[in-house]
Amino acid sequence: MNELVLVVEDEEALVKGLSLSLKQAGYRVISAPDGPTGLRLALEQSPDLVILDIMLPGMDGFEVCRRIRQHSTVPIIMLTARSDDVDVIVGLELGADDYVTKPFNTRELIARMKAILRRVAREKEDARDAIRAGDLEISLRRRLVTVAGKPVALTPKEFDILAYLAAQPERVFTREQILHAVWGYDFYGGQRAVDVHIRRIREKIQSRPGAAYVHTSWGKGYYFAYRPAPLAGAQPAAGDHPADAAPGGDEPTATGPRVGTAGGQDPCGP
């Protein structure tokens, strides 16, 4: 556990009792007796959760909440001595995650804290798991790709190539690097296997005409970067190769014809 909790409350007895209970539950605790100090600690100490009273000297809890939200998404639980729904609604609209009415059961407050912190942990895990670019989303844990919210049926190797490139956007990978990363060093097939898979990936994930995610670096390899569809009549940016915008634009080489053209042999079958 060991999360840091900031308690912004001017009732000394309440702060003392609550701090003791939170420490016994495994949390680290810092406190502030007024609004300005609470705001400063929230921004300087980066707590994992803030317990914020509404009625505070110097600056009320609503204003503290509003200012915190300008800089941070830290979870905030507001404390109110009034059962009036207005306080609750205002606090939630300002960005608070939950509220508790005084007097409260400390165990209930800690249970609410745990629920919020679990949700935040899941959101952080999902954020680390997902790669997003334009309409494209790649879930590494679920091995799922969606475009504009619709699932895309990629083969295992196609998914591995896309995830490998997307994990380091704008970095150019050679065919050999992609082969070793996806197929392994014991793969004896030709490097054209990469071209065939890249072409299929492009065809499947293109979200709209002209948009592109997987690009050719002429004479080098492939890289991932989101390029939205250009406006009508717009010219390609300097340095962009026409193959970058074409879903099937595999790079020709001196050793053989382009994949997908007459005479091009697909090493991976239909």
Side-chain angles (χ1 to χ4, degrees):
M1 193 174 288
N2 204 36
E3 289 96 340
L4 178 63
V5 178
L6 169 61
V7 179
V8 187
E9 169 62 66
D10 62 332
E11 295 183 33
E12 186 176 349
L14 175 58
V15 172
K16 185 176 180 180
L18 180 57
S19 296
L20 179 61
S21 296
L22 292 176
K23 290 175 181 178
Q24 290 175 341
Y27 298 99
R28 293 176 294 129
V29 182
I30 55 176
S31 61
D34 55 65
T37 304
L39 176 61
R40 178 176 58 80
L41 290 178
L43 300 181
E44 291 179 356
Q45 299 298 317
S46 300
D48 297 292
L49 186 140
V50 176
I51 298 174
L52 177 62
D53 189 25
I54 292 178
M55 302 300 292
L56 292 168
M59 182 187 301
D60 67 34
F62 293 136
E63 182 63 16
V64 174
C65 181
R66 187 185 70 81
R67 295 195 187 189
I68 290 175
R69 279 291 171 260
Q70 292 176 348
H71 305 278
S72 172
T73 59
V74 60
I76 298 173
I77 297 178
M78 301 201 76
L79 303 180
T80 175
R82 305 191 313 183
S83 58
D84 193 340
D85 288 344
V86 173
D87 280 358
V88 175
I89 293 171
V90 171
L92 294 176
E93 288 181 344
L94 287 173
D97 295 85
D98 202 352
Y99 72 93
V100 173
T101 302
K102 297 179 180 179
F104 55 84
N105 185 308
T106 303
R107 288 182 296 177
E108 178 186 351
L109 174 61
I110 293 176
R112 289 173 181 255
M113 290 170 51
K114 289 180 178 178
I116 291 174
L117 290 170
R118 283 196 301 269
R119 172 179 58 79
V120 171
R122 285 195 302 269
E123 290 174 352
K124 289 181 178 179
E125 183 178 350
D126 289 342
R128 287 193 297 267
D129 165 70
I131 299 174
R132 298 179 179 87
D135 293 334
L136 178 71
E137 181 171 333
I138 305 168
S139 174
L140 303 177
R141 187 175 68 249
R142 294 184 294 163
R143 294 183 64 83
L144 175 67
V145 174
T146 60
V147 174
K150 298 180 180 179
V152 177
L154 296 182
T155 67
K157 285 292 188 287
E158 289 168 356
F159 179 90
D160 291 341
I161 292 172
L162 180 61
Y164 179 64
L165 297 177
Q168 300 188 62
E170 305 286 353
R171 177 180 172 182
V172 176
F173 293 92
T174 66
R175 291 181 178 86
E176 185 177 9
Q177 287 175 315
I178 297 172
L179 277 174
H180 289 168
V182 175
W183 278 268
Y185 284 92
D186 56 349
F187 178 71
Y188 295 104
Q191 293 187 5
R192 276 302 182 183
V194 174
D195 298 333
V196 171
H197 282 73
I198 291 289
R199 173 172 55 82
R200 290 174 176 170
I201 291 168
R202 284 170 165 167
E203 291 172 351
K204 291 179 178 181
I205 69 173
Q206 183 182 14
S207 59
R208 60 197 67 188
Y213 296 94
V214 180
H215 307 264
T216 302
S217 179
W218 201 255
K220 297 178 182 179
Y222 297 103
Y223 66 97
F224 179 92
Y226 174 56
R227 300 286 188 266
L231 299 175
Q235 297 298 317
D240 284 353
H241 193 279
D244 287 356
D250 298 289
E251 177 192 347
T253 67
T255 59
R258 263 176 47 173
V259 173
T261 60
Q265 186 67 31
D266 184 343
C268 300

mmCIF file with all atom_site columns, all heavy atoms in Angstrom, residues 22 25 27 49 77 98 100 105-118:
data_model
loop_
_atom_site.group_PDB
_atom_site.id
_atom_site.type_symbol
_atom_site.label_atom_id
_atom_site.label_alt_id
_atom_site.label_comp_id
_atom_site.label_asym_id
_atom_site.label_entity_id
_atom_site.label_seq_id
_atom_site.pdbx_PDB_ins_code
_atom_site.Cartn_x
_atom_site.Cartn_y
_atom_site.Cartn_z
_atom_site.occupancy
_atom_site.B_iso_or_equiv
_atom_site.pdbx_formal_charge
_atom_site.auth_seq_id
_atom_site.auth_comp_id
_atom_site.auth_asym_id
_atom_site.auth_atom_id
_atom_site.pdbx_PDB_model_num
ATOM 1   N N   . LEU A 1 22  ? -5.502  6.174  9.318  1.00 0.00 ? 22  LEU A N   1
ATOM 2   C CA  . LEU A 1 22  ? -4.916  5.981  7.995  1.00 0.00 ? 22  LEU A CA  1
ATOM 3   C C   . LEU A 1 22  ? -3.541  5.329  8.088  1.00 0.00 ? 22  LEU A C   1
ATOM 4   O O   . LEU A 1 22  ? -3.200  4.448  7.297  1.00 0.00 ? 22  LEU A O   1
ATOM 5   C CB  . LEU A 1 22  ? -4.816  7.322  7.263  1.00 0.00 ? 22  LEU A CB  1
ATOM 6   C CG  . LEU A 1 22  ? -6.142  7.971  6.860  1.00 0.00 ? 22  LEU A CG  1
ATOM 7   C CD1 . LEU A 1 22  ? -5.899  9.342  6.232  1.00 0.00 ? 22  LEU A CD1 1
ATOM 8   C CD2 . LEU A 1 22  ? -6.919  7.086  5.894  1.00 0.00 ? 22  LEU A CD2 1
ATOM 9   N N   . ALA A 1 25  ? -3.852  1.764  8.715  1.00 0.00 ? 25  ALA A N   1
ATOM 10  C CA  . ALA A 1 25  ? -4.295  1.060  7.508  1.00 0.00 ? 25  ALA A CA  1
ATOM 11  C C   . ALA A 1 25  ? -3.185  0.951  6.470  1.00 0.00 ? 25  ALA A C   1
ATOM 12  O O   . ALA A 1 25  ? -3.396  0.370  5.404  1.00 0.00 ? 25  ALA A O   1
ATOM 13  C CB  . ALA A 1 25  ? -5.502  1.771  6.912  1.00 0.00 ? 25  ALA A CB  1
ATOM 14  N N   . TYR A 1 27  ? -1.251  3.707  5.220  1.00 0.00 ? 27  TYR A N   1
ATOM 15  C CA  . TYR A 1 27  ? -1.013  4.900  4.408  1.00 0.00 ? 27  TYR A CA  1
ATOM 16  C C   . TYR A 1 27  ? -0.011  5.829  5.089  1.00 0.00 ? 27  TYR A C   1
ATOM 17  O O   . TYR A 1 27  ? 0.094   5.864  6.318  1.00 0.00 ? 27  TYR A O   1
ATOM 18  C CB  . TYR A 1 27  ? -2.319  5.668  4.186  1.00 0.00 ? 27  TYR A CB  1
ATOM 19  C CG  . TYR A 1 27  ? -3.361  4.895  3.428  1.00 0.00 ? 27  TYR A CG  1
ATOM 20  C CD1 . TYR A 1 27  ? -4.400  4.237  4.102  1.00 0.00 ? 27  TYR A CD1 1
ATOM 21  C CD2 . TYR A 1 27  ? -3.323  4.809  2.041  1.00 0.00 ? 27  TYR A CD2 1
ATOM 22  C CE1 . TYR A 1 27  ? -5.359  3.523  3.414  1.00 0.00 ? 27  TYR A CE1 1
ATOM 23  C CE2 . TYR A 1 27  ? -4.284  4.093  1.335  1.00 0.00 ? 27  TYR A CE2 1
ATOM 24  C CZ  . TYR A 1 27  ? -5.291  3.452  2.023  1.00 0.00 ? 27  TYR A CZ  1
ATOM 25  O OH  . TYR A 1 27  ? -6.240  2.740  1.344  1.00 0.00 ? 27  TYR A OH  1
ATOM 26  N N   . LEU A 1 49  ? -3.757  10.675 -2.959 1.00 0.00 ? 49  LEU A N   1
ATOM 27  C CA  . LEU A 1 49  ? -5.170  10.979 -2.729 1.00 0.00 ? 49  LEU A CA  1
ATOM 28  C C   . LEU A 1 49  ? -5.248  12.172 -1.776 1.00 0.00 ? 49  LEU A C   1
ATOM 29  O O   . LEU A 1 49  ? -4.403  12.318 -0.891 1.00 0.00 ? 49  LEU A O   1
ATOM 30  C CB  . LEU A 1 49  ? -5.894  9.767  -2.149 1.00 0.00 ? 49  LEU A CB  1
ATOM 31  C CG  . LEU A 1 49  ? -7.417  9.874  -1.970 1.00 0.00 ? 49  LEU A CG  1
ATOM 32  C CD1 . LEU A 1 49  ? -8.099  8.558  -2.349 1.00 0.00 ? 49  LEU A CD1 1
ATOM 33  C CD2 . LEU A 1 49  ? -7.768  10.231 -0.517 1.00 0.00 ? 49  LEU A CD2 1
ATOM 34  N N   . ILE A 1 77  ? -11.369 13.340 -2.290 1.00 0.00 ? 77  ILE A N   1
ATOM 35  C CA  . ILE A 1 77  ? -12.593 13.059 -1.545 1.00 0.00 ? 77  ILE A CA  1
ATOM 36  C C   . ILE A 1 77  ? -12.899 14.291 -0.709 1.00 0.00 ? 77  ILE A C   1
ATOM 37  O O   . ILE A 1 77  ? -12.074 14.717 0.106  1.00 0.00 ? 77  ILE A O   1
ATOM 38  C CB  . ILE A 1 77  ? -12.449 11.827 -0.642 1.00 0.00 ? 77  ILE A CB  1
ATOM 39  C CG1 . ILE A 1 77  ? -12.190 10.574 -1.475 1.00 0.00 ? 77  ILE A CG1 1
ATOM 40  C CG2 . ILE A 1 77  ? -13.717 11.638 0.201  1.00 0.00 ? 77  ILE A CG2 1
ATOM 41  C CD1 . ILE A 1 77  ? -11.984 9.320  -0.629 1.00 0.00 ? 77  ILE A CD1 1
ATOM 42  N N   . ASP A 1 98  ? -15.288 11.908 -4.988 1.00 0.00 ? 98  ASP A N   1
ATOM 43  C CA  . ASP A 1 98  ? -16.282 11.371 -4.054 1.00 0.00 ? 98  ASP A CA  1
ATOM 44  C C   . ASP A 1 98  ? -16.463 12.390 -2.938 1.00 0.00 ? 98  ASP A C   1
ATOM 45  O O   . ASP A 1 98  ? -15.741 13.389 -2.859 1.00 0.00 ? 98  ASP A O   1
ATOM 46  C CB  . ASP A 1 98  ? -15.809 10.026 -3.489 1.00 0.00 ? 98  ASP A CB  1
ATOM 47  C CG  . ASP A 1 98  ? -16.950 9.173  -2.959 1.00 0.00 ? 98  ASP A CG  1
ATOM 48  O OD1 . ASP A 1 98  ? -18.092 9.689  -2.890 1.00 0.00 ? 98  ASP A OD1 1
ATOM 49  O OD2 . ASP A 1 98  ? -16.701 8.006  -2.601 1.00 0.00 ? 98  ASP A OD2 1
ATOM 50  N N   . VAL A 1 100 ? -17.851 12.687 1.440  1.00 0.00 ? 100 VAL A N   1
ATOM 51  C CA  . VAL A 1 100 ? -18.286 12.043 2.677  1.00 0.00 ? 100 VAL A CA  1
ATOM 52  C C   . VAL A 1 100 ? -18.869 13.122 3.577  1.00 0.00 ? 100 VAL A C   1
ATOM 53  O O   . VAL A 1 100 ? -18.294 14.204 3.715  1.00 0.00 ? 100 VAL A O   1
ATOM 54  C CB  . VAL A 1 100 ? -17.110 11.336 3.382  1.00 0.00 ? 100 VAL A CB  1
ATOM 55  C CG1 . VAL A 1 100 ? -17.536 10.814 4.750  1.00 0.00 ? 100 VAL A CG1 1
ATOM 56  C CG2 . VAL A 1 100 ? -16.578 10.196 2.534  1.00 0.00 ? 100 VAL A CG2 1
ATOM 57  N N   . ASN A 1 105 ? -17.983 7.499  9.330  1.00 0.00 ? 105 ASN A N   1
ATOM 58  C CA  . ASN A 1 105 ? -17.330 6.292  9.825  1.00 0.00 ? 105 ASN A CA  1
ATOM 59  C C   . ASN A 1 105 ? -15.973 6.175  9.123  1.00 0.00 ? 105 ASN A C   1
ATOM 60  O O   . ASN A 1 105 ? -15.910 6.122  7.900  1.00 0.00 ? 105 ASN A O   1
ATOM 61  C CB  . ASN A 1 105 ? -18.203 5.076  9.530  1.00 0.00 ? 105 ASN A CB  1
ATOM 62  C CG  . ASN A 1 105 ? -17.645 3.792  10.111 1.00 0.00 ? 105 ASN A CG  1
ATOM 63  O OD1 . ASN A 1 105 ? -16.493 3.446  9.890  1.00 0.00 ? 105 ASN A OD1 1
ATOM 64  N ND2 . ASN A 1 105 ? -18.488 3.078  10.868 1.00 0.00 ? 105 ASN A ND2 1
ATOM 65  N N   . THR A 1 106 ? -14.907 6.147  9.885  1.00 0.00 ? 106 THR A N   1
ATOM 66  C CA  . THR A 1 106 ? -13.564 6.102  9.298  1.00 0.00 ? 106 THR A CA  1
ATOM 67  C C   . THR A 1 106 ? -13.369 4.875  8.419  1.00 0.00 ? 106 THR A C   1
ATOM 68  O O   . THR A 1 106 ? -12.722 4.948  7.373  1.00 0.00 ? 106 THR A O   1
ATOM 69  C CB  . THR A 1 106 ? -12.488 6.113  10.407 1.00 0.00 ? 106 THR A CB  1
ATOM 70  O OG1 . THR A 1 106 ? -12.672 7.271  11.226 1.00 0.00 ? 106 THR A OG1 1
ATOM 71  C CG2 . THR A 1 106 ? -11.097 6.157  9.802  1.00 0.00 ? 106 THR A CG2 1
ATOM 72  N N   . ARG A 1 107 ? -13.945 3.748  8.820  1.00 0.00 ? 107 ARG A N   1
ATOM 73  C CA  . ARG A 1 107 ? -13.811 2.543  8.003  1.00 0.00 ? 107 ARG A CA  1
ATOM 74  C C   . ARG A 1 107 ? -14.484 2.710  6.647  1.00 0.00 ? 107 ARG A C   1
ATOM 75  O O   . ARG A 1 107 ? -13.988 2.212  5.630  1.00 0.00 ? 107 ARG A O   1
ATOM 76  C CB  . ARG A 1 107 ? -14.391 1.336  8.744  1.00 0.00 ? 107 ARG A CB  1
ATOM 77  C CG  . ARG A 1 107 ? -13.525 0.869  9.916  1.00 0.00 ? 107 ARG A CG  1
ATOM 78  C CD  . ARG A 1 107 ? -14.098 -0.355 10.587 1.00 0.00 ? 107 ARG A CD  1
ATOM 79  N NE  . ARG A 1 107 ? -15.391 -0.069 11.199 1.00 0.00 ? 107 ARG A NE  1
ATOM 80  C CZ  . ARG A 1 107 ? -16.145 -0.980 11.807 1.00 0.00 ? 107 ARG A CZ  1
ATOM 81  N NH1 . ARG A 1 107 ? -15.732 -2.243 11.866 1.00 0.00 ? 107 ARG A NH1 1
ATOM 82  N NH2 . ARG A 1 107 ? -17.293 -0.644 12.356 1.00 0.00 ? 107 ARG A NH2 1
ATOM 83  N N   . GLU A 1 108 ? -15.632 3.417  6.636  1.00 0.00 ? 108 GLU A N   1
ATOM 84  C CA  . GLU A 1 108 ? -16.296 3.676  5.355  1.00 0.00 ? 108 GLU A CA  1
ATOM 85  C C   . GLU A 1 108 ? -15.433 4.583  4.485  1.00 0.00 ? 108 GLU A C   1
ATOM 86  O O   . GLU A 1 108 ? -15.301 4.366  3.275  1.00 0.00 ? 108 GLU A O   1
ATOM 87  C CB  . GLU A 1 108 ? -17.658 4.335  5.578  1.00 0.00 ? 108 GLU A CB  1
ATOM 88  C CG  . GLU A 1 108 ? -18.369 4.672  4.265  1.00 0.00 ? 108 GLU A CG  1
ATOM 89  C CD  . GLU A 1 108 ? -19.653 5.451  4.458  1.00 0.00 ? 108 GLU A CD  1
ATOM 90  O OE1 . GLU A 1 108 ? -20.098 5.596  5.616  1.00 0.00 ? 108 GLU A OE1 1
ATOM 91  O OE2 . GLU A 1 108 ? -20.200 5.927  3.445  1.00 0.00 ? 108 GLU A OE2 1
ATOM 92  N N   . LEU A 1 109 ? -14.831 5.613  5.085  1.00 0.00 ? 109 LEU A N   1
ATOM 93  C CA  . LEU A 1 109 ? -13.963 6.509  4.326  1.00 0.00 ? 109 LEU A CA  1
ATOM 94  C C   . LEU A 1 109 ? -12.795 5.746  3.722  1.00 0.00 ? 109 LEU A C   1
ATOM 95  O O   . LEU A 1 109 ? -12.467 5.915  2.539  1.00 0.00 ? 109 LEU A O   1
ATOM 96  C CB  . LEU A 1 109 ? -13.443 7.624  5.234  1.00 0.00 ? 109 LEU A CB  1
ATOM 97  C CG  . LEU A 1 109 ? -12.395 8.566  4.611  1.00 0.00 ? 109 LEU A CG  1
ATOM 98  C CD1 . LEU A 1 109 ? -12.964 9.297  3.409  1.00 0.00 ? 109 LEU A CD1 1
ATOM 99  C CD2 . LEU A 1 109 ? -11.874 9.555  5.652  1.00 0.00 ? 109 LEU A CD2 1
ATOM 100 N N   . ILE A 1 110 ? -12.157 4.886  4.511  1.00 0.00 ? 110 ILE A N   1
ATOM 101 C CA  . ILE A 1 110 ? -11.023 4.107  4.009  1.00 0.00 ? 110 ILE A CA  1
ATOM 102 C C   . ILE A 1 110 ? -11.465 3.152  2.906  1.00 0.00 ? 110 ILE A C   1
ATOM 103 O O   . ILE A 1 110 ? -10.749 2.945  1.921  1.00 0.00 ? 110 ILE A O   1
ATOM 104 C CB  . ILE A 1 110 ? -10.348 3.353  5.173  1.00 0.00 ? 110 ILE A CB  1
ATOM 105 C CG1 . ILE A 1 110 ? -9.685  4.362  6.119  1.00 0.00 ? 110 ILE A CG1 1
ATOM 106 C CG2 . ILE A 1 110 ? -9.320  2.359  4.652  1.00 0.00 ? 110 ILE A CG2 1
ATOM 107 C CD1 . ILE A 1 110 ? -9.062  3.739  7.359  1.00 0.00 ? 110 ILE A CD1 1
ATOM 108 N N   . ALA A 1 111 ? -12.667 2.582  3.046  1.00 0.00 ? 111 ALA A N   1
ATOM 109 C CA  . ALA A 1 111 ? -13.188 1.706  1.995  1.00 0.00 ? 111 ALA A CA  1
ATOM 110 C C   . ALA A 1 111 ? -13.377 2.481  0.691  1.00 0.00 ? 111 ALA A C   1
ATOM 111 O O   . ALA A 1 111 ? -13.064 1.978  -0.402 1.00 0.00 ? 111 ALA A O   1
ATOM 112 C CB  . ALA A 1 111 ? -14.506 1.080  2.435  1.00 0.00 ? 111 ALA A CB  1
ATOM 113 N N   . ARG A 1 112 ? -13.884 3.704  0.781  1.00 0.00 ? 112 ARG A N   1
ATOM 114 C CA  . ARG A 1 112 ? -14.044 4.543  -0.415 1.00 0.00 ? 112 ARG A CA  1
ATOM 115 C C   . ARG A 1 112 ? -12.679 4.890  -1.014 1.00 0.00 ? 112 ARG A C   1
ATOM 116 O O   . ARG A 1 112 ? -12.510 4.891  -2.232 1.00 0.00 ? 112 ARG A O   1
ATOM 117 C CB  . ARG A 1 112 ? -14.808 5.818  -0.058 1.00 0.00 ? 112 ARG A CB  1
ATOM 118 C CG  . ARG A 1 112 ? -16.278 5.608  0.244  1.00 0.00 ? 112 ARG A CG  1
ATOM 119 C CD  . ARG A 1 112 ? -16.920 6.902  0.748  1.00 0.00 ? 112 ARG A CD  1
ATOM 120 N NE  . ARG A 1 112 ? -18.325 6.728  1.075  1.00 0.00 ? 112 ARG A NE  1
ATOM 121 C CZ  . ARG A 1 112 ? -19.331 7.164  0.330  1.00 0.00 ? 112 ARG A CZ  1
ATOM 122 N NH1 . ARG A 1 112 ? -19.082 7.795  -0.798 1.00 0.00 ? 112 ARG A NH1 1
ATOM 123 N NH2 . ARG A 1 112 ? -20.574 6.979  0.709  1.00 0.00 ? 112 ARG A NH2 1
ATOM 124 N N   . MET A 1 113 ? -11.718 5.189  -0.138 1.00 0.00 ? 113 MET A N   1
ATOM 125 C CA  . MET A 1 113 ? -10.370 5.479  -0.608 1.00 0.00 ? 113 MET A CA  1
ATOM 126 C C   . MET A 1 113 ? -9.791  4.297  -1.386 1.00 0.00 ? 113 MET A C   1
ATOM 127 O O   . MET A 1 113 ? -9.221  4.465  -2.468 1.00 0.00 ? 113 MET A O   1
ATOM 128 C CB  . MET A 1 113 ? -9.463  5.815  0.573  1.00 0.00 ? 113 MET A CB  1
ATOM 129 C CG  . MET A 1 113 ? -9.751  7.137  1.251  1.00 0.00 ? 113 MET A CG  1
ATOM 130 S SD  . MET A 1 113 ? -8.813  7.318  2.805  1.00 0.00 ? 113 MET A SD  1
ATOM 131 C CE  . MET A 1 113 ? -7.150  6.939  2.256  1.00 0.00 ? 113 MET A CE  1
ATOM 132 N N   . LYS A 1 114 ? -9.930  3.116  -0.826 1.00 0.00 ? 114 LYS A N   1
ATOM 133 C CA  . LYS A 1 114 ? -9.392  1.919  -1.478 1.00 0.00 ? 114 LYS A CA  1
ATOM 134 C C   . LYS A 1 114 ? -10.031 1.700  -2.845 1.00 0.00 ? 114 LYS A C   1
ATOM 135 O O   . LYS A 1 114 ? -9.354  1.346  -3.817 1.00 0.00 ? 114 LYS A O   1
ATOM 136 C CB  . LYS A 1 114 ? -9.599  0.691  -0.592 1.00 0.00 ? 114 LYS A CB  1
ATOM 137 C CG  . LYS A 1 114 ? -8.719  0.665  0.644  1.00 0.00 ? 114 LYS A CG  1
ATOM 138 C CD  . LYS A 1 114 ? -8.982  -0.588 1.478  1.00 0.00 ? 114 LYS A CD  1
ATOM 139 C CE  . LYS A 1 114 ? -8.060  -0.644 2.687  1.00 0.00 ? 114 LYS A CE  1
ATOM 140 N NZ  . LYS A 1 114 ? -8.331  -1.847 3.530  1.00 0.00 ? 114 LYS A NZ  1
ATOM 141 N N   . ALA A 1 115 ? -11.348 1.910  -2.919 1.00 0.00 ? 115 ALA A N   1
ATOM 142 C CA  . ALA A 1 115 ? -12.048 1.725  -4.192 1.00 0.00 ? 115 ALA A CA  1
ATOM 143 C C   . ALA A 1 115 ? -11.530 2.708  -5.239 1.00 0.00 ? 115 ALA A C   1
ATOM 144 O O   . ALA A 1 115 ? -11.301 2.344  -6.405 1.00 0.00 ? 115 ALA A O   1
ATOM 145 C CB  . ALA A 1 115 ? -13.550 1.900  -3.994 1.00 0.00 ? 115 ALA A CB  1
ATOM 146 N N   . ILE A 1 116 ? -11.336 3.968  -4.840 1.00 0.00 ? 116 ILE A N   1
ATOM 147 C CA  . ILE A 1 116 ? -10.844 4.983  -5.776 1.00 0.00 ? 116 ILE A CA  1
ATOM 148 C C   . ILE A 1 116 ? -9.419  4.663  -6.210 1.00 0.00 ? 116 ILE A C   1
ATOM 149 O O   . ILE A 1 116 ? -9.077  4.742  -7.400 1.00 0.00 ? 116 ILE A O   1
ATOM 150 C CB  . ILE A 1 116 ? -10.918 6.379  -5.134 1.00 0.00 ? 116 ILE A CB  1
ATOM 151 C CG1 . ILE A 1 116 ? -12.376 6.797  -4.976 1.00 0.00 ? 116 ILE A CG1 1
ATOM 152 C CG2 . ILE A 1 116 ? -10.162 7.402  -5.982 1.00 0.00 ? 116 ILE A CG2 1
ATOM 153 C CD1 . ILE A 1 116 ? -12.559 8.100  -4.212 1.00 0.00 ? 116 ILE A CD1 1
ATOM 154 N N   . LEU A 1 117 ? -8.563  4.281  -5.263 1.00 0.00 ? 117 LEU A N   1
ATOM 155 C CA  . LEU A 1 117 ? -7.178  3.984  -5.599 1.00 0.00 ? 117 LEU A CA  1
ATOM 156 C C   . LEU A 1 117 ? -7.069  2.746  -6.476 1.00 0.00 ? 117 LEU A C   1
ATOM 157 O O   . LEU A 1 117 ? -6.192  2.668  -7.346 1.00 0.00 ? 117 LEU A O   1
ATOM 158 C CB  . LEU A 1 117 ? -6.360  3.813  -4.315 1.00 0.00 ? 117 LEU A CB  1
ATOM 159 C CG  . LEU A 1 117 ? -6.139  5.114  -3.517 1.00 0.00 ? 117 LEU A CG  1
ATOM 160 C CD1 . LEU A 1 117 ? -5.533  4.807  -2.151 1.00 0.00 ? 117 LEU A CD1 1
ATOM 161 C CD2 . LEU A 1 117 ? -5.256  6.076  -4.295 1.00 0.00 ? 117 LEU A CD2 1
ATOM 162 N N   . ARG A 1 118 ? -7.957  1.763  -6.295 1.00 0.00 ? 118 ARG A N   1
ATOM 163 C CA  . ARG A 1 118 ? -7.970  0.602  -7.197 1.00 0.00 ? 118 ARG A CA  1
ATOM 164 C C   . ARG A 1 118 ? -8.333  1.026  -8.610 1.00 0.00 ? 118 ARG A C   1
ATOM 165 O O   . ARG A 1 118 ? -7.727  0.565  -9.595 1.00 0.00 ? 118 ARG A O   1
ATOM 166 C CB  . ARG A 1 118 ? -8.960  -0.456 -6.692 1.00 0.00 ? 118 ARG A CB  1
ATOM 167 C CG  . ARG A 1 118 ? -8.458  -1.286 -5.530 1.00 0.00 ? 118 ARG A CG  1
ATOM 168 C CD  . ARG A 1 118 ? -9.316  -2.529 -5.352 1.00 0.00 ? 118 ARG A CD  1
ATOM 169 N NE  . ARG A 1 118 ? -10.713 -2.216 -5.101 1.00 0.00 ? 118 ARG A NE  1
ATOM 170 C CZ  . ARG A 1 118 ? -11.236 -2.063 -3.892 1.00 0.00 ? 118 ARG A CZ  1
ATOM 171 N NH1 . ARG A 1 118 ? -10.465 -2.183 -2.815 1.00 0.00 ? 118 ARG A NH1 1
ATOM 172 N NH2 . ARG A 1 118 ? -12.520 -1.792 -3.740 1.00 0.00 ? 118 ARG A NH2 1
#
